[in-house]
Amino acid sequence: MDIRKLLADVKSGAVSVEEAETRLKIQPFDDLGYAVVDHHRRIRNGCPEVIYCAGKTVAQIEGIIENMLSHDSSILATRASTDVAQAVLKRYPEAEWHPSAGTVVIRRRPVEKTAGGKILIVTAGTSDIPVADEAAVTAEFLGNEVERLCDVGVAGLHRLLAKLNVIASASVIIVIAGMEGALASVIGGLTDKPVIAVPTSVGYGASFGGLSALLSMLNSCASGVAVVNIDNGFGAAYIANSINRVNAGRQTETASDTGRPDPQ
């Protein structure tokens, strides 16, 4: 339900107060037995509920999608397998399947563009790209402008230093790295923008499936670096979107203040 639109319709007389009251009394969630779908999350958080596919059956995922679409919600499904994607595409041909990201997207409403600035997604190596893809699809689904820098890890630092202008142009930077995860600290020392570090499970045996990179990022000597869980591109993009939304609100307030007449 779009509360702003409903209130505008009441104000214009297109919807009566009684009808609006009835709509608002509708339960803000649907209990499907195997899932309780939260339809008011977009109202509370600015983003609709996202479907995490791992551990769910194809039938459960299809049921959740059908329920969300009945409420005119766009769909972002993460950690989707090929079997899940094929089933969804068969039922909803308009769906977008992003194999590398493991995501399925169905758009039922125009994307509301975020005016807060650009999210830059940086990977240390090519092997980190699948996590970057998940972050990029999520950030774009939420209405953000996204730019990428791939394979600029510390093993060849000159590759990163050649892109300082790109780093400076971002409002939020997501840094994705496996191995020892040093790239987040390096970029954190080069920018005054928020840095969200994503450790990946890329690396040899002693990387312990990404734990080594996670601990390195948590112990970053650069200030302004926040860390999400291993391979959590979705979580990093969600946080970056939240930062951008706050930035957009501040820009709007600043523009409004600038336009006010001076007190007499």
Side-chain angles (χ1 to χ4, degrees):
M1 181 189 300
D2 190 328
I3 294 292
R4 286 183 175 272
K5 183 176 185 306
L6 179 59
L7 293 175
D9 287 343
V10 171
K11 183 177 181 180
S12 68
V15 174
S16 68
V17 172
E18 292 74 20
E19 183 181 350
E21 182 181 19
T22 299
R23 292 190 194 179
L24 289 171
K25 284 180 179 178
I26 295 174
Q27 198 164 249
F29 56 85
D30 282 328
D31 190 345
L32 306 182
Y34 53 83
V36 181
V37 185
D38 182 3
H39 296 299
H40 277 202
R41 190 168 302 182
R42 184 174 180 274
I43 297 170
R44 297 194 314 274
N45 297 354
C47 308
E49 185 169 15
V50 173
I51 303 170
Y52 178 77
C53 295
K56 295 182 177 68
T57 67
V58 172
Q60 288 171 341
I61 294 166
E62 288 182 329
I64 295 169
I65 290 175
E66 181 180 4
N67 183 265
M68 291 178 67
L69 291 177
S70 72
H71 287 258
D72 197 33
S73 177
S74 292
I75 304 295
L76 172 60
T78 65
R79 302 303 164 100
S81 66
T82 301
D83 289 344
V84 166
Q86 289 175 346
V88 174
L89 285 167
K90 183 176 180 180
R91 191 165 179 179
Y92 304 101
E94 73 275 23
E96 303 167 15
W97 165 228
H98 302 271
S100 177
T103 58
V104 176
V105 174
I106 303 176
R107 304 183 190 277
R108 282 294 170 88
R109 58 169 65 222
V111 176
E112 296 179 8
K113 295 295 183 182
T114 301
K118 179 173 62 181
I119 296 175
L120 178 64
I121 300 176
V122 186
T123 68
T126 303
S127 297
D128 301 309
I129 287 177
V131 178
D133 287 345
E134 182 182 68
V137 171
T138 300
E140 289 167 350
F141 175 82
L142 296 174
N144 298 275
E145 178 189 356
V146 173
E147 186 171 354
R148 301 192 195 205
L149 284 180
C150 294
D151 196 25
V152 291
V154 298
L157 194 58
H158 55 290
R159 300 174 299 178
L160 178 67
L161 298 179
K163 299 292 185 179
L164 291 180
N165 60 323
V166 179
I167 293 172
S169 70
S171 62
V172 188
I173 303 171
I174 297 173
V175 181
I176 302 171
M179 301 291 188
E180 85 284 25
L183 184 61
S185 261
V186 173
I187 291 181
L190 293 172
T191 182
D192 60 350
K193 305 304 193 317
V195 174
I196 304 167
V198 187
T200 71
S201 51
V202 170
Y204 297 102
S207 68
F208 299 106
L211 183 59
S212 177
L214 171 64
L215 293 176
S216 293
M217 290 172 171
L218 286 172
N219 286 287
S220 171
C221 63
S223 304
V225 176
V227 187
V228 298
N229 213 338
I230 298 168
D231 293 337
N232 191 8
F234 163 78
Y238 197 101
I239 295 168
N241 172 71
S242 297
I243 294 170
N244 255 356
R245 289 170 62 86
V246 170
N247 288 341
R250 288 175 177 168
Q251 290 174 10
T252 300
E253 290 175 2
T254 301
S256 177
D257 290 343
T258 303
R260 290 177 183 169
D262 294 330
Q264 299 298 319

